[in-house]
Amino acid sequence: MSALTDDTLPMTPRAMRDEMIVFALMAALLAVVPFTGIYPFFVMQALCFALLACAFNLLIGYGGLLSFGHAMFLGTAGYVSAHALKVWGLPPELGIVVGTAAAALLGLATGYISIKRQGIYFSMITLALSQLLYFLYLQAPFTHGEDGIQGIPQGHLFGIFDLSKPLVLYYVVLVGFLAGFLLIYRAINSPFGEVLKSIRENEPRAISLGYKTDQYKLLAFILSGTLAGFAGSLKVFVAQNASLTDVHWSMSGEIVLMTLVGGLGTIFGPVVGAFVIIAMQQYLAGFGQWVTVIQGVIFVSCVLLFRRGLVGELAHLLRRSL
Amino acid sequence: MQALYAQLLVGLINGSFYALLSLGLAVIFGMLNIINFAHGALYMMGAFVAYFLLNLGGINYWWALIIAPVVVGIFGMILERTMLQWLAGLDHLYGLLLTFGIALIVQGVFQNYFGSSGLPYSIPDQLKGGVNLGFMFLPIYRGWVVVFSLVVCLATWFLIEKTQLGAYLRAATENPTLVRAFGINVPRMITLTYGLGVGLAALAGVLSAPINQVRPLMGADLIIVVFAVVVIGGMGSIMGSIITGFALGVIEGLTKYFYPEASNTVVFVLMVVVLLVKPTGLTGRAA
């Protein structure tokens, strides 16, 4: 099994400094977006997907676990949050908590099942589980089947911030994204993250060193699922609907594609990948099914020509860790 | 009772497709170490080739049964030569990602030209009608699909387990370097194996064309069910794939009769149960 990424070395102070500079740059750039005339809805959507891709990358890039069912967390948290906001009338902060908690529980259950097998089987199991949930949501009354949950009230966050104002919503989503990003960054560079990387590199050796790798994998899976769910709950406020598209296997594929384009196992790659793919969908919306074909071509060319992804190639050129 | 038998037959037919597809996946995985995500798309291509042959060339079902697997098999071998072979030695997951991309391309192109609705493909004259078995009415075509699939599955099993060629194949799965040292052209064998697996998928596509209509996305959802079948049965044994495929089809058919709401999900639920009870899958060999 060959390594997925170049980064097997421990964190150096220089790398840490580089990454913090890039993070500050990214945060500053995103903070000025509303004053540039860029369509904020597009950026908000991209931020939700960026967080989702980062959560997915935690599993694949650092744990070597390819989940082909991450849409189930996006969809589940979205449905639960939407239901809580619209039917139960919960305030936004509780709606987000409930949705994220649902994703965490789902992560516990599906993680426990899927880590029973390794490698390629793990991917097939996660895909099958998300398809199982897709059919459950298709039939469950509270999701309203093909119509989805629509017209979700945005409300006031903590009773103060009016989320129906695009500018307020933008900064709330941005803060949510940055918080999630930093949490993932912290996890990757913690002792927990180091064990995770050792599992990716050589699981039998990690076991022989006394690590209970199944517990680490399960924890990573739950963490990833919870953050993906958090992204799904945020997305409810942006899109104001929750529908079956978010649970479909093609969505899981898009999450994989974003991370692959940006760079598996890079810190900023999933963010770049998410913006690239969402922008592509935006600009090519008029081409109908050709978008799927183009996505397929990107998949194929990424795997065959630049497996490191955009950020991974850049980091390799600059010999920095990004 | 009539309805029960009818659903059992539908189950057996779906089971035939599961068996043919999971068999191909297992054979390909053994040689290439790749899970072929494009399998559903190639199954769909098989059905479309049959459709084109009939509507553009006036070539009937019986010829399509031979020509479609060969055409799609050659297409598969081109894919293997131009793309898949470069993945040797890389992590398994790249094979999954690459073939997923291929599936998106193939399905997207067909969707562009044929939309998402189904195209009709009529049952060949010789297999029209049905026979009354006393306890149920058996449409001849459906009976034919089950019997023919079973024969093809068993023939594949025989080819791999009982012939000289199959022995080379099994040896190359275990240790390709050693087999090459004996003067056997392993890369060519890998290409042919991929062609064989893909051809089986295309054959299933032709068989399903008169039953399920010809649709660009006909294989997209099917392949996910087949993945669950593969997780349940394991890819270690050819006979295991065949038996698991048919058995799960029958269970799905029974579910359609007794509790139709769960018929979409029963295979996935069974997968969960098997993983909880016997994590290595039914036919052993942990992966």
Side-chain angles (χ1 to χ4, degrees):
Chain A
M1 189 161 165
S2 71
L4 287 173
T5 56
D6 302 337
D7 115 81
T8 43
L9 298 171
M11 196 67 167
T12 62
R14 196 186 84 161
M16 183 87 92
R17 194 200 61 205
D18 286 351
E19 286 161 8
M20 278 295 119
I21 292 172
V22 177
F23 177 78
L25 253 158
M26 177 179 78
L29 271 178
L30 288 170
V32 298
V33 159
F35 310 103
T36 57
I38 301 173
Y39 188 41
F41 179 78
F42 158 73
V43 184
M44 281 193 270
Q45 212 192 0
L47 283 175
C48 294
F49 279 104
L51 182 54
L52 186 60
C54 286
F56 166 79
N57 185 39
L58 175 66
L59 271 186
I60 173 92
Y62 300 92
L65 299 165
L66 171 61
S67 159
F68 228 103
H70 250 49
M72 63 183 162
F73 300 113
L74 178 77
T76 299
Y79 273 135
V80 172
S81 286
H83 189 76
L85 293 167
K86 196 178 173 187
V87 181
W88 298 339
L90 292 186
E93 60 275 12
L94 284 181
I96 294 175
V97 169
V98 174
T100 311
L105 277 177
L106 181 68
L108 175 65
T110 54
Y112 180 75
I113 295 164
S114 44
I115 60 162
K116 295 208 173 257
R117 300 284 285 274
Q118 272 114 38
I120 215 75
Y121 282 98
F122 173 87
S123 308
M124 291 196 281
I125 293 167
T126 48
L127 177 62
L129 288 173
S130 75
Q131 189 76 349
L132 171 62
L133 277 163
Y134 176 84
F135 283 121
L136 289 181
Y137 289 139
L138 182 65
Q139 290 168 355
F142 89 98
T143 61
H144 300 285
E146 303 274 353
D147 297 335
I149 307 178
Q150 291 175 353
I152 295 153
Q154 288 164 310
H156 289 68
L157 187 70
F158 303 118
I160 313 166
F161 302 110
D162 183 1
L163 296 181
S164 61
K165 292 202 175 106
L167 195 65
V168 177
L169 182 60
Y170 178 82
Y171 283 106
V172 168
V173 171
L174 179 58
V175 168
F177 163 74
L178 292 175
F181 184 91
L182 282 178
L183 182 63
I184 292 170
Y185 183 74
R186 183 72 194 89
I188 292 167
N189 292 304
S190 66
F192 166 73
E194 297 300 329
V195 177
L196 212 56
K197 286 174 212 166
S198 80
I199 295 173
R200 175 191 71 193
E201 295 305 319
N202 193 336
E203 184 167 355
R205 190 178 289 177
I207 294 172
S208 78
L209 288 172
Y211 291 108
K212 294 197 166 78
T213 55
D214 274 357
Q215 289 177 7
Y216 282 90
K217 285 199 281 187
L218 182 57
L219 196 57
F221 196 87
I222 296 172
L223 185 60
S224 173
T226 309
L227 284 163
F230 179 55
S233 291
L234 285 179
K235 191 172 157 292
V236 164
F237 293 92
V238 180
Q240 280 184 276
N241 70 39
S243 70
L244 280 171
T245 354
D246 289 350
V247 218
H248 197 247
W249 56 262
S250 55
M251 179 62 79
S252 296
E254 272 173 34
I255 301 167
V256 179
L257 182 62
M258 288 169 187
T259 315
L260 184 67
V261 166
L264 297 176
T266 61
I267 293 161
F268 297 96
V271 183
V272 174
F275 273 84
V276 169
I277 298 298
I278 296 288
M280 192 193 83
Q281 285 172 349
Q282 202 87 21
Y283 289 113
L284 299 180
F287 288 86
Q289 283 308 321
W290 288 115
V291 177
T292 319
V293 179
I294 294 167
Q295 285 186 344
V297 172
I298 298 177
F299 253 111
V300 170
S301 37
C302 275
V303 172
L304 289 178
L305 302 174
F306 62 122
R307 272 184 286 278
R308 290 193 191 96
L310 293 170
V311 172
E313 293 289 350
L314 186 70
H316 187 71
L317 275 179
L318 301 174
R319 299 175 183 210
R320 298 281 167 101
S321 136
L322 289 172
Chain B
M1 284 312 273
Q2 281 281 335
L4 174 62
Y5 290 130
Q7 290 301 353
L8 265 179
L9 184 62
V10 172
L12 273 174
I13 288 174
N14 283 335
S16 318
F17 299 148
Y18 297 161
L20 282 171
L21 290 172
S22 63
L23 188 62
L25 281 182
V27 174
I28 291 173
F29 184 73
M31 279 300 270
L32 286 85
N33 264 321
I34 279 176
I35 278 292
N36 189 27
F37 216 130
H39 224 60
L42 296 163
Y43 157 87
M44 175 272 288
M45 273 182 83
F48 263 97
V49 171
Y51 176 83
F52 291 145
L53 285 174
L54 186 67
N55 289 286
L56 302 179
I59 298 165
N60 69 20
Y61 174 84
W62 302 101
W63 283 108
L65 226 37
I66 301 166
I67 297 173
V70 172
V71 170
V72 178
I74 290 172
F75 178 72
M77 287 191 264
I78 295 171
L79 290 180
E80 197 279 331
R81 280 286 91 184
T82 52
M83 296 189 234
L84 295 176
Q85 67 153 330
W86 305 109
L87 299 182
L90 288 176
D91 195 298
H92 286 357
L93 63 88
Y94 287 116
L96 190 71
L97 297 179
L98 180 68
T99 49
F100 180 70
I102 294 172
L104 287 183
I105 297 173
V106 172
Q107 280 162 1
V109 167
F110 276 88
Q111 258 189 300
N112 253 306
Y113 292 109
F114 301 97
S116 292
S117 53
L119 303 166
Y121 187 92
S122 58
I123 295 174
D125 292 334
Q126 298 87 337
L127 300 175
K128 275 186 178 143
V131 281
N132 198 337
L133 297 179
F135 59 93
M136 73 174 289
F137 180 78
L138 174 73
I140 293 179
Y141 185 76
R142 295 182 174 236
W144 151 258
V145 169
V146 175
V147 173
F148 183 66
S149 306
L150 197 59
V151 170
V152 172
C153 284
L154 292 177
T156 313
W157 170 80
F158 185 82
L159 174 74
I160 291 171
E161 298 290 335
K162 302 287 170 196
T163 63
Q164 183 72 45
L165 185 69
Y168 288 150
L169 208 103
R170 280 176 290 133
T173 305
E174 292 293 326
N175 192 336
T177 325
L178 198 62
V179 174
R180 272 186 104 156
F182 287 134
I184 291 162
N185 190 338
V186 172
R188 186 191 294 160
M189 248 168 76
I190 291 178
T191 310
L192 289 174
T193 307
Y194 191 74
L196 170 74
V198 162
L200 286 172
L203 184 70
V206 181
L207 288 173
S208 106
I211 300 176
N212 297 326
Q213 293 201 318
V214 181
R215 286 182 302 117
L217 291 181
M218 64 194 284
D221 286 337
L222 182 65
I223 190 65
I224 304 180
V225 182
V226 174
F227 279 177
V229 172
V230 162
V231 171
I232 294 171
M235 287 187 288
S237 120
I238 299 291
M239 200 45 106
S241 302
I242 300 171
I243 294 170
T244 324
F246 275 99
L248 285 170
V250 168
I251 292 173
E252 204 181 54
L254 289 175
T255 317
K256 262 190 198 125
Y257 180 75
F258 288 107
Y259 188 61
E261 289 83 359
S263 60
N264 281 333
T265 47
V266 63
V267 174
F268 302 120
V269 173
L270 276 174
M271 179 194 80
V272 170
V273 173
V274 168
L275 283 171
L276 292 176
V277 177
K278 195 168 180 298
T280 50
L282 293 182
T283 55
R285 274 246 297 233

PDB file of all heavy atoms in Angstrom, chain B residues 82-98:
ATOM      1  N   THR B  82      -5.627   1.659 -21.397  1.00  0.00           N
ATOM      2  CA  THR B  82      -5.293   3.087 -21.422  1.00  0.00           C
ATOM      3  C   THR B  82      -5.267   3.715 -20.032  1.00  0.00           C
ATOM      4  O   THR B  82      -4.570   4.699 -19.818  1.00  0.00           O
ATOM      5  CB  THR B  82      -6.292   3.876 -22.288  1.00  0.00           C
ATOM      6  OG1 THR B  82      -7.615   3.555 -21.837  1.00  0.00           O
ATOM      7  CG2 THR B  82      -6.177   3.524 -23.746  1.00  0.00           C
ATOM      8  N   MET B  83      -6.054   3.182 -19.087  1.00  0.00           N
ATOM      9  CA  MET B  83      -6.128   3.864 -17.787  1.00  0.00           C
ATOM     10  C   MET B  83      -5.824   2.970 -16.593  1.00  0.00           C
ATOM     11  O   MET B  83      -4.922   3.239 -15.824  1.00  0.00           O
ATOM     12  CB  MET B  83      -7.519   4.460 -17.610  1.00  0.00           C
ATOM     13  CG  MET B  83      -7.843   5.529 -18.626  1.00  0.00           C
ATOM     14  SD  MET B  83      -9.361   6.340 -18.167  1.00  0.00           S
ATOM     15  CE  MET B  83     -10.282   6.160 -19.653  1.00  0.00           C
ATOM     16  N   LEU B  84      -6.619   1.896 -16.442  1.00  0.00           N
ATOM     17  CA  LEU B  84      -6.534   1.124 -15.199  1.00  0.00           C
ATOM     18  C   LEU B  84      -5.147   0.562 -14.956  1.00  0.00           C
ATOM     19  O   LEU B  84      -4.699   0.461 -13.823  1.00  0.00           O
ATOM     20  CB  LEU B  84      -7.564  -0.015 -15.220  1.00  0.00           C
ATOM     21  CG  LEU B  84      -9.020   0.427 -15.243  1.00  0.00           C
ATOM     22  CD1 LEU B  84      -9.949  -0.764 -15.357  1.00  0.00           C
ATOM     23  CD2 LEU B  84      -9.335   1.192 -13.982  1.00  0.00           C
ATOM     24  N   GLN B  85      -4.447   0.184 -16.029  1.00  0.00           N
ATOM     25  CA  GLN B  85      -3.162  -0.479 -15.817  1.00  0.00           C
ATOM     26  C   GLN B  85      -2.148   0.444 -15.127  1.00  0.00           C
ATOM     27  O   GLN B  85      -1.215  -0.035 -14.490  1.00  0.00           O
ATOM     28  CB  GLN B  85      -2.600  -0.998 -17.142  1.00  0.00           C
ATOM     29  CG  GLN B  85      -2.215   0.074 -18.115  1.00  0.00           C
ATOM     30  CD  GLN B  85      -1.108  -0.415 -19.048  1.00  0.00           C
ATOM     31  OE1 GLN B  85      -0.287  -1.240 -18.687  1.00  0.00           O
ATOM     32  NE2 GLN B  85      -1.114   0.092 -20.270  1.00  0.00           N
ATOM     33  N   TRP B  86      -2.345   1.752 -15.233  1.00  0.00           N
ATOM     34  CA  TRP B  86      -1.399   2.673 -14.602  1.00  0.00           C
ATOM     35  C   TRP B  86      -1.566   2.744 -13.095  1.00  0.00           C
ATOM     36  O   TRP B  86      -0.781   3.388 -12.412  1.00  0.00           O
ATOM     37  CB  TRP B  86      -1.535   4.072 -15.215  1.00  0.00           C
ATOM     38  CG  TRP B  86      -1.372   4.053 -16.690  1.00  0.00           C
ATOM     39  CD1 TRP B  86      -2.341   4.251 -17.620  1.00  0.00           C
ATOM     40  CD2 TRP B  86      -0.172   3.766 -17.419  1.00  0.00           C
ATOM     41  NE1 TRP B  86      -1.823   4.105 -18.877  1.00  0.00           N
ATOM     42  CE2 TRP B  86      -0.492   3.809 -18.792  1.00  0.00           C
ATOM     43  CE3 TRP B  86       1.146   3.467 -17.039  1.00  0.00           C
ATOM     44  CZ2 TRP B  86       0.442   3.569 -19.792  1.00  0.00           C
ATOM     45  CZ3 TRP B  86       2.084   3.229 -18.036  1.00  0.00           C
ATOM     46  CH2 TRP B  86       1.727   3.287 -19.392  1.00  0.00           C
ATOM     47  N   LEU B  87      -2.610   2.108 -12.592  1.00  0.00           N
ATOM     48  CA  LEU B  87      -2.854   2.181 -11.157  1.00  0.00           C
ATOM     49  C   LEU B  87      -2.185   1.051 -10.389  1.00  0.00           C
ATOM     50  O   LEU B  87      -2.254   1.012  -9.164  1.00  0.00           O
ATOM     51  CB  LEU B  87      -4.354   2.142 -10.880  1.00  0.00           C
ATOM     52  CG  LEU B  87      -5.160   3.283 -11.475  1.00  0.00           C
ATOM     53  CD1 LEU B  87      -6.619   3.163 -11.081  1.00  0.00           C
ATOM     54  CD2 LEU B  87      -4.612   4.615 -11.003  1.00  0.00           C
ATOM     55  N   ALA B  88      -1.551   0.120 -11.102  1.00  0.00           N
ATOM     56  CA  ALA B  88      -0.921  -1.004 -10.424  1.00  0.00           C
ATOM     57  C   ALA B  88       0.053  -0.496  -9.371  1.00  0.00           C
ATOM     58  O   ALA B  88       0.848   0.405  -9.635  1.00  0.00           O
ATOM     59  CB  ALA B  88      -0.200  -1.879 -11.445  1.00  0.00           C
ATOM     60  N   GLY B  89      -0.029  -1.043  -8.166  1.00  0.00           N
ATOM     61  CA  GLY B  89       0.892  -0.654  -7.106  1.00  0.00           C
ATOM     62  C   GLY B  89       0.412   0.519  -6.273  1.00  0.00           C
ATOM     63  O   GLY B  89       0.966   0.803  -5.225  1.00  0.00           O
ATOM     64  N   LEU B  90      -0.626   1.207  -6.737  1.00  0.00           N
ATOM     65  CA  LEU B  90      -1.157   2.314  -5.940  1.00  0.00           C
ATOM     66  C   LEU B  90      -2.206   1.800  -4.965  1.00  0.00           C
ATOM     67  O   LEU B  90      -2.677   0.671  -5.070  1.00  0.00           O
ATOM     68  CB  LEU B  90      -1.806   3.360  -6.853  1.00  0.00           C
ATOM     69  CG  LEU B  90      -0.877   4.212  -7.692  1.00  0.00           C
ATOM     70  CD1 LEU B  90      -1.709   5.107  -8.595  1.00  0.00           C
ATOM     71  CD2 LEU B  90       0.011   5.060  -6.798  1.00  0.00           C
ATOM     72  N   ASP B  91      -2.595   2.654  -4.027  1.00  0.00           N
ATOM     73  CA  ASP B  91      -3.638   2.302  -3.075  1.00  0.00           C
ATOM     74  C   ASP B  91      -4.922   1.900  -3.815  1.00  0.00           C
ATOM     75  O   ASP B  91      -5.274   2.486  -4.843  1.00  0.00           O
ATOM     76  CB  ASP B  91      -3.907   3.525  -2.188  1.00  0.00           C
ATOM     77  CG  ASP B  91      -4.701   3.172  -0.958  1.00  0.00           C
ATOM     78  OD1 ASP B  91      -5.846   2.718  -1.085  1.00  0.00           O
ATOM     79  OD2 ASP B  91      -4.161   3.355   0.128  1.00  0.00           O
ATOM     80  N   HIS B  92      -5.629   0.887  -3.233  1.00  0.00           N
ATOM     81  CA  HIS B  92      -6.889   0.397  -3.816  1.00  0.00           C
ATOM     82  C   HIS B  92      -7.867   1.501  -4.153  1.00  0.00           C
ATOM     83  O   HIS B  92      -8.604   1.412  -5.119  1.00  0.00           O
ATOM     84  CB  HIS B  92      -7.639  -0.478  -2.805  1.00  0.00           C
ATOM     85  CG  HIS B  92      -7.038  -1.819  -2.609  1.00  0.00           C
ATOM     86  ND1 HIS B  92      -5.963  -2.248  -3.317  1.00  0.00           N
ATOM     87  CD2 HIS B  92      -7.370  -2.829  -1.783  1.00  0.00           C
ATOM     88  CE1 HIS B  92      -5.663  -3.461  -2.926  1.00  0.00           C
ATOM     89  NE2 HIS B  92      -6.500  -3.840  -1.992  1.00  0.00           N
ATOM     90  N   LEU B  93      -7.882   2.538  -3.307  1.00  0.00           N
ATOM     91  CA  LEU B  93      -8.963   3.502  -3.441  1.00  0.00           C
ATOM     92  C   LEU B  93      -8.878   4.291  -4.746  1.00  0.00           C
ATOM     93  O   LEU B  93      -9.890   4.758  -5.255  1.00  0.00           O
ATOM     94  CB  LEU B  93      -9.003   4.432  -2.232  1.00  0.00           C
ATOM     95  CG  LEU B  93      -7.824   5.330  -1.951  1.00  0.00           C
ATOM     96  CD1 LEU B  93      -7.958   6.638  -2.674  1.00  0.00           C
ATOM     97  CD2 LEU B  93      -7.770   5.580  -0.453  1.00  0.00           C
ATOM     98  N   TYR B  94      -7.676   4.390  -5.321  1.00  0.00           N
ATOM     99  CA  TYR B  94      -7.579   5.107  -6.597  1.00  0.00           C
ATOM    100  C   TYR B  94      -8.332   4.383  -7.707  1.00  0.00           C
ATOM    101  O   TYR B  94      -8.893   5.017  -8.600  1.00  0.00           O
ATOM    102  CB  TYR B  94      -6.122   5.323  -6.980  1.00  0.00           C
ATOM    103  CG  TYR B  94      -5.446   6.385  -6.140  1.00  0.00           C
ATOM    104  CD1 TYR B  94      -4.391   6.066  -5.303  1.00  0.00           C
ATOM    105  CD2 TYR B  94      -5.891   7.696  -6.173  1.00  0.00           C
ATOM    106  CE1 TYR B  94      -3.789   7.027  -4.517  1.00  0.00           C
ATOM    107  CE2 TYR B  94      -5.297   8.663  -5.394  1.00  0.00           C
ATOM    108  CZ  TYR B  94      -4.241   8.334  -4.567  1.00  0.00           C
ATOM    109  OH  TYR B  94      -3.670   9.282  -3.797  1.00  0.00           O
ATOM    110  N   GLY B  95      -8.333   3.049  -7.645  1.00  0.00           N
ATOM    111  CA  GLY B  95      -9.095   2.285  -8.636  1.00  0.00           C
ATOM    112  C   GLY B  95     -10.578   2.581  -8.531  1.00  0.00           C
ATOM    113  O   GLY B  95     -11.272   2.756  -9.533  1.00  0.00           O
ATOM    114  N   LEU B  96     -11.049   2.668  -7.286  1.00  0.00           N
ATOM    115  CA  LEU B  96     -12.460   2.981  -7.055  1.00  0.00           C
ATOM    116  C   LEU B  96     -12.786   4.367  -7.602  1.00  0.00           C
ATOM    117  O   LEU B  96     -13.781   4.567  -8.296  1.00  0.00           O
ATOM    118  CB  LEU B  96     -12.753   2.914  -5.558  1.00  0.00           C
ATOM    119  CG  LEU B  96     -14.213   2.978  -5.151  1.00  0.00           C
ATOM    120  CD1 LEU B  96     -14.929   1.701  -5.521  1.00  0.00           C
ATOM    121  CD2 LEU B  96     -14.353   3.231  -3.666  1.00  0.00           C
ATOM    122  N   LEU B  97     -11.906   5.337  -7.324  1.00  0.00           N
ATOM    123  CA  LEU B  97     -12.157   6.714  -7.764  1.00  0.00           C
ATOM    124  C   LEU B  97     -12.124   6.812  -9.283  1.00  0.00           C
ATOM    125  O   LEU B  97     -12.968   7.465  -9.894  1.00  0.00           O
ATOM    126  CB  LEU B  97     -11.115   7.664  -7.154  1.00  0.00           C
ATOM    127  CG  LEU B  97     -11.132   7.762  -5.636  1.00  0.00           C
ATOM    128  CD1 LEU B  97     -10.048   8.707  -5.151  1.00  0.00           C
ATOM    129  CD2 LEU B  97     -12.494   8.250  -5.163  1.00  0.00           C
ATOM    130  N   LEU B  98     -11.148   6.145  -9.895  1.00  0.00           N
ATOM    131  CA  LEU B  98     -11.027   6.213 -11.355  1.00  0.00           C
ATOM    132  C   LEU B  98     -12.249   5.601 -12.030  1.00  0.00           C
ATOM    133  O   LEU B  98     -12.845   6.203 -12.931  1.00  0.00           O
ATOM    134  CB  LEU B  98      -9.758   5.480 -11.808  1.00  0.00           C
ATOM    135  CG  LEU B  98      -9.521   5.482 -13.305  1.00  0.00           C
ATOM    136  CD1 LEU B  98      -9.210   6.867 -13.808  1.00  0.00           C
ATOM    137  CD2 LEU B  98      -8.386   4.543 -13.677  1.00  0.00           C
TER     138      LEU B  98
END
